[in-house]
């Protein structure tokens, strides 16, 4: 089975802190994605990567950056967390042009 | 960013009832996907549709890829308590690495 593992299920951070959300997949997928999920807004794409060291902006990249140094790992970085970044963050991976497999999510609260 | 129009946004039904939800788009898609997200978890793929007009079943779930390639529906027959969750549709255009998601349908079942 495909497994996408997100490092933290729940985080509480303070405004201005730097936050790292880590995601690892074990199926050798080329593509990896970071989504944000908020009630009534569905899943919104923050960034995605289709290869090591490659990244592309999604629909809401402002305030976020990403890193993909290894194929299996895709990190989401909040350089200076703000309260409006309180949300559920979902990582996903896929082969090219195929369905996404999601991690369990990381619920971030910024105080 | 582009989003699909998914309806209804929420449903409150009695156990044993049938459920129907749909998604529409102004764009043509080559693939339609239906995901289910249970509380505190990431979305899990239920059904994938790859051909216009395709009707696919997965147990009590049935989904169809609209002939116009701009819509899809998901039906759940004889609902049971474990069907509770949020259902998302997602579309993928030709050659697109990204999915476009609907806003989700939150299903609540009264026993």
């Amino acid at each position: 089975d495909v497994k996408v593992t997100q490092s933290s299920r729940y985080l509480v951070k303070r405004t201005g802190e730097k936050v790292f959300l880590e995601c690892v997949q074990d199926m050798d997928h080329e593509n990896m994605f970071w989504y944000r999920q908020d009630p009534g807004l569905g899943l919104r794409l923050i960034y995605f990567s289709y290869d090591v060291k490659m990244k592309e902006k999604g629909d809401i990249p402002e305030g976020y950056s990403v890193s993909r140094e290894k194929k299996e790992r895709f990190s989401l970085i909040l350089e200076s967390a703000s309260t409006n970044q309180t949300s559920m963050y979902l990582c996903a991976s896929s082969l090219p042009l195929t369905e996404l497999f999601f991690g369990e999510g990381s619920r971030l609260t910024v105080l | 960013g582009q989003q699909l129009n998914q309806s209804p946004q929420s449903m409150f039904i009695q156990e044993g009832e049938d459920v129907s939800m749909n998604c529409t788009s102004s764009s043509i898609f080559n693939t339609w996907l239906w995901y289910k997200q249970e509380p505190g978890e990431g979305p899990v793929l239920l059904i994938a549709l790859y051909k216009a007009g395709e009707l696919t079943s997965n147990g009590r779930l049935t989904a169809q890829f609209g002939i116009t390639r701009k819509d899809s529906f998901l039906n759940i027959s004889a609902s049971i308590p474990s069907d509770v969750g949020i259902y998302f549709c997602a579309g993928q255009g030709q050659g697109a690495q990204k999915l476009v998601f609907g806003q989700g349908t939150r299903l609540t079942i009264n026993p």
Side-chain angles (χ1 to χ4, degrees), chain B residues 4-107:
Chain B
L4 302 175
N5 293 316
Q6 183 172 350
S7 65
Q9 289 191 15
S10 60
M11 302 182 74
F12 298 86
I13 63 169
Q14 296 294 125
E15 183 177 352
E17 287 185 30
D18 296 343
V19 172
S20 184
M21 59 192 79
N22 69 82
C23 274
T24 60
S25 170
S26 57
S27 304
I28 289 173
F29 288 116
N30 280 19
T31 301
W32 281 94
L33 305 169
W34 284 93
Y35 286 86
K36 178 189 176 187
Q37 184 181 29
E38 298 189 1
E41 304 294 330
V44 174
L45 182 68
L46 296 174
I47 292 179
L49 302 158
Y50 300 106
K51 188 177 176 182
E54 180 181 356
L55 184 72
T56 296
S57 293
N58 178 5
R60 292 178 295 106
L61 278 61
T62 303
Q64 185 160 28
F65 191 144
I67 289 291
T68 65
R69 294 165 64 193
K70 293 183 178 181
D71 63 326
S72 177
F73 71 74
L74 175 71
N75 288 341
I76 306 172
S77 62
S79 59
I80 59 177
S82 62
D83 290 333
V84 164
I86 304 175
Y87 292 79
F88 290 99
C89 63
Q92 189 170 38
Q94 185 170 6
Q97 298 286 7
K98 301 183 294 182
L99 295 180
V100 179
F101 281 88
Q103 301 96 323
T105 296
R106 183 180 293 274
L107 179 62

Side-chain angles (χ1 to χ4, degrees), chain A residues 16-80:
Chain A
E17 280 193 73
K18 190 169 185 177
V19 181
F20 291 88
L21 299 178
E22 305 284 346
C23 176
V24 176
Q25 51 94 3
D26 66 358
M27 288 304 293
D28 203 33
H29 285 171
E30 281 83 358
N31 297 345
M32 296 190 75
F33 305 80
W34 275 106
Y35 287 87
R36 172 177 171 160
Q37 182 180 13
D38 299 289
L41 297 178
L43 302 175
R44 294 181 293 168
L45 182 64
I46 305 171
Y47 268 97
F48 70 102
S49 168
Y50 51 86
D51 201 354
V52 176
K53 296 192 185 293
M54 304 298 288
K55 61 183 179 183
E56 287 201 23
K57 293 180 180 179
D59 300 318
I60 52 165
E62 296 78 18
Y64 303 95
S65 62
V66 290
S67 172
R68 193 164 182 204
E69 297 296 319
K70 294 185 178 181
K71 189 176 185 179
E72 67 271 19
R73 187 179 298 270
F74 193 35
S75 303
L76 180 69
I77 304 155
L78 288 67
E79 292 289 341
S80 178

